Amino acid sequence: QVQFVESGGGLVQPGGSLRLSCAASGIIFSSHGMGWYRQVPGKQRELVARITTGGSTYYADSAKGRFTISRDNAKNTVYLQMHNLRREDTAVYYCNPGPGSPWYGYWGQGTQVTVSS
């Protein structure tokens, strides 16, 4: 059974930091690039960051310089370290291998990140 279980979200003040984790199961994790996505009510889910099987990374402009994506293939886990959080980062964050993967339709419950004073 394919599962992506996100954790690590919470309430943080502007300028604060959070580290999100996503544990994958049911897939050969090391064979897939992984992405972090986020969604706010009424808007489309958007890609925040992505890491390839070889460790190359991509960041949305909104995440550059503040977020770092990493992966631990031994733990089947992908991480998103977020610094200098802004109110506009408030969203539910999800991980997924992304378009082109047979698992693109498998979405976890996400983890809520709320940036507020």
Side-chain angles (χ1 to χ4, degrees), residues 10 13 37 40-41 49 55 71 74-75 84 91 103 105 107:
Q13 292 187 343
Y37 297 78
V40 297
R71 64 189 298 160
K75 296 182 178 179
N84 193 21
W103 319 119
W107 295 91

Side-chain angles (χ1 to χ4, degrees), residues 3 8 14 39 56 64 69 72 74 80 88 93 103 108 112 114-115:
Q3 277 192 313
Q39 188 170 26
S56 297
K64 287 178 182 175
I69 187 171
D72 185 338
L80 187 67
E88 53 265 38
Y93 285 70
W103 319 119
Q112 175 71 49
T114 302
V115 184

